Amino acid sequence: MAVDYAVIVVYLAGMLAMGWWGMRRAKSKAEFLVAGRRLGPAMYSGTMAAIVLGGASTIGGVGLGYQYGLSGAWMVLTIGFGLLALSVFFSARIARLKVYTVSEMLDLRYGGRAGIISGVVMWAYTLMLAVTSTIAYATIFDVLFDVNRTVAIVLGGAIVVAYSTLGGMWSITLTDMVQFVVKTIGLLLLLLPIAVVKAGGFSEMKAQLPTEYFDPLGIGGETIFTYVLIYTFGMLIGQDIWQRVFTARSDRTARWGGTVAGTYCLVYAIAGAVIGTAAKVMYPDLASADSAFATIVKDELPVGVRGLVLAAALAAVMSTSSGALIACATVANNDIWSRLRGVVARGGGDGSGDGPHDEVRGNRAFILIMGIAVILIAIALNDVVQALTVAYNLLVGGLLVPILGGLLWRRGTAAGALAAVGVGGLTVIGLMAYYGILANQPIYYGLLASLTVYVLVSLATPPTDAAVLAAWRERLAGRGGAEAAAPDPSAASGVPAASGPSGA
């Protein structure tokens, strides 16, 4: 294992070095949070693919292939479909807004009254997403170094927290590009063909396994539909995804770069399912489907190649973890803490005499604080699937309707948006308690309740102020989108501005 260890150590050292390099680039809030909004197509595509394809898509995708065969690709396929839909239909408009968070977008669209509640929901989602990604380190480091779960989580989490805190989005972008290359080589070019050959080729796989393993719909129509609701729609509204859209240097980059990344996700999905199917032939009686990836890597790959493939799995987990971490910290600082500071300042409290706030230092501190919290929660939490399900159910059930409604329906109002967030979120929570966290009903009925309330309350309340809508259309058109025009979170804590949101 010495060669494999050397590969991993060099990889981890490189991640930290890029964090240090990124620190020298991140001199402003825009540089730190959205890489100066100047990523070109190649870098944008690589980093977008890296963040959406994490441990669940890699280890979990292979596990689903082991359990269901080729139809196990559907979870990652729906992620790819969501990224394609976001890129083709919404990314250009999102990029032109020149904001930092989803909640700032809601403030612009609805007049500065929807942000803080949505910020809390989005913060909970990004926190749990970061936690579930961090837990995945335990599986990989156990194979690598045979260390216990807590040490594995601390080791992997500390590296991600370190480079994310140092350089923010620049560090994360650079490391994601390396992770994208490593994943492509390790999973697609090495593990996929080796697994198929070791299993005896496709003809032998078909001979050894039941026919349902090769049925494209074998996983079940209801499961596929649920994946679409959770993951496809989740891709449309997640802060971790939007924050990458904000890094694009142009509308064209956001649209075409995201389309390339979405297409890559579809290829990755099929590769994971095929690897899992091959593992089923070689190891038909594994105790856990999620152990298929680690087993085939540990037992079937030659020295050196094994280290690279494990580095690929580590890259998948790190890219999602770092993206979720900076999203969580951005929401916590810009959508929650900054608004609370604004309330104190207007009330003449301790914050009223504050001097200019060092935004880079403040965001860096929040990444460090959130990173430590993520590591501690990951150590205490065991069930990754339930945590991830709770996160996505809250995100989609609470925020999908007001976000897409704001983008697509002029008549939607702030009251409708707030009602949709509250009713959708509470419905999801209540039904998860009644039916169980992994049941399908919470997301079905949560979305239906959110949509119904959004439409009815919006129609029953006065339309959004014409000045607010005019400012919104200006921003969507790419006019008035300078960094200085970004909305002030402290002005959106529940008290409408006298002349609409900033940027008007």
Side-chain angles (χ1 to χ4, degrees):
M1 291 290 288
V3 176
D4 296 326
Y5 289 161
V7 172
I8 298 298
V9 169
V10 168
Y11 168 75
L12 294 177
M15 297 299 99
L16 292 174
M18 289 183 184
W20 183 262
W21 187 89
M23 182 176 67
R24 303 175 64 183
R25 295 286 303 269
K27 301 298 184 183
S28 68
K29 179 180 179 179
E31 294 282 351
F32 190 83
L33 293 182
V34 291
R37 305 190 195 274
R38 49 197 175 104
L39 296 190
M43 189 167 284
Y44 178 86
S45 298
T47 58
M48 184 64 86
I51 188 176
V52 300
L53 296 173
S57 301
T58 304
I59 298 170
V62 172
L64 287 172
Y66 183 89
Q67 188 173 359
Y68 297 104
L70 298 185
S71 67
W74 273 106
M75 183 186 78
V76 185
L77 285 174
T78 56
I79 291 174
F81 294 149
L83 186 52
L84 286 170
L86 174 71
S87 302
V88 173
F89 299 113
F90 300 107
S91 63
R93 282 185 281 179
I94 292 170
R96 286 196 294 266
L97 291 173
K98 302 295 183 186
V99 295
Y100 293 100
T101 68
V102 174
S103 295
E104 288 178 9
M105 167 264 172
L106 292 173
D107 282 342
L108 280 171
R109 170 59 181 83
Y110 293 111
R113 288 181 291 173
I116 193 164
I117 296 177
S118 64
V120 172
V121 175
M122 189 64 76
W123 174 77
Y125 156 72
T126 53
L127 179 71
M128 295 312 299
L129 183 61
V131 167
T132 56
S133 300
T134 302
I135 291 173
Y137 295 129
T139 300
I140 300 170
F141 279 101
D142 177 58
V143 176
L144 285 173
F145 305 117
D146 194 26
V147 297
N148 69 48
R149 181 179 182 275
T150 299
V151 173
I153 290 173
V154 171
L155 178 59
I159 293 170
V160 169
V161 171
Y163 73 69
S164 300
T165 302
L166 286 173
M169 187 60 81
W170 268 121
S171 295
I172 292 171
T173 296
L174 294 171
T175 54
D176 277 358
M177 280 305 298
V178 174
Q179 290 158 356
F180 171 75
V181 172
V182 171
K183 280 194 289 190
T184 301
I185 296 173
L187 272 295
L188 300 184
L189 302 184
L190 291 177
L191 183 57
L192 174 61
I194 290 174
V196 173
V197 170
K198 291 282 188 178
F202 286 104
S203 58
E204 184 65 18
M205 291 162 63
K206 287 186 177 181
Q208 293 288 333
L209 296 173
T211 55
E212 55 263 29
Y213 264 70
F214 302 91
D215 180 359
L217 303 179
I219 199 170
E222 184 178 359
T223 298
I224 295 171
F225 180 66
T226 303
Y227 283 159
V228 170
L229 286 183
I230 294 177
Y231 296 113
T232 300
F233 287 133
M235 288 295 106
L236 297 180
I237 59 175
Q239 169 68 24
D240 51 325
I241 309 301
W242 277 40
Q243 199 157 345
R244 296 310 174 97
V245 176
F246 300 151
T247 66
R249 71 184 180 197
S250 68
D251 298 355
R252 183 179 178 85
T253 296
R255 182 181 294 111
W256 292 109
T259 300
V260 170
T263 304
Y264 179 89
C265 290
L266 304 183
V267 176
Y268 200 90
I270 296 171
V274 171
I275 293 168
T277 305
K280 183 67 175 180
V281 173
M282 291 182 277
Y283 309 98
D285 300 315
L286 291 177
S288 169
D290 283 342
S291 67
F293 177 87
T295 302
I296 194 171
V297 170
K298 192 173 184 179
D299 294 348
E300 302 297 335
L301 298 186
V303 172
V305 173
R306 179 171 49 204
L308 184 59
V309 172
L310 287 171
L314 196 58
V317 175
M318 281 187 162
S319 57
T320 299
S321 181
S322 59
L325 176 58
I326 193 172
C328 177
T330 301
V331 171
N333 188 18
N334 292 270
D335 291 338
I336 300 174
W337 174 242
S338 291
R339 297 168 195 268
L340 295 177
R341 291 175 69 247
V343 170
V344 171
R346 284 196 301 276
D350 294 338
S352 60
D354 289 350
H357 183 54
D358 185 336
E359 293 180 316
V360 173
R361 184 172 60 186
N363 282 290
R364 183 173 282 134
F366 265 86
I367 291 179
L368 179 60
I369 293 168
M370 291 297 106
I372 294 172
V374 163
I375 292 173
L376 293 176
I377 295 171
I379 291 171
L381 199 62
N382 286 318
D383 199 322
V384 180
V385 175
Q386 289 196 7
L388 193 61
T389 301
V390 170
Y392 270 101
N393 280 354
L394 282 174
L395 175 71
V396 176
L399 292 180
L400 177 69
V401 170
I403 291 172
L404 293 189
L407 289 169
L408 300 174
W409 191 39
R410 177 190 176 97
R411 187 61 180 81
T413 65
L418 289 170
V421 173
V423 171
L426 291 175
T427 301
V428 164
I429 292 171
L431 292 179
M432 282 193 295
Y434 181 76
Y435 287 105
I437 290 176
L438 299 181
N440 293 328
Q441 289 91 339
I443 192 62
Y444 295 167
Y445 297 126
L447 267 176
L448 181 61
S450 181
L451 177 61
T452 301
V453 169
Y454 179 72
V455 172
L456 293 179
V457 174
S458 291
L459 292 176
T461 52
T464 304
D465 186 86
V468 171
L469 287 177
W472 167 252
R473 287 193 296 270
E474 286 289 304
R475 292 293 283 270
L476 279 180
R479 298 185 293 269
E483 292 298 329
D488 176 9
S490 66
S493 56
V495 182
S499 56
S502 58

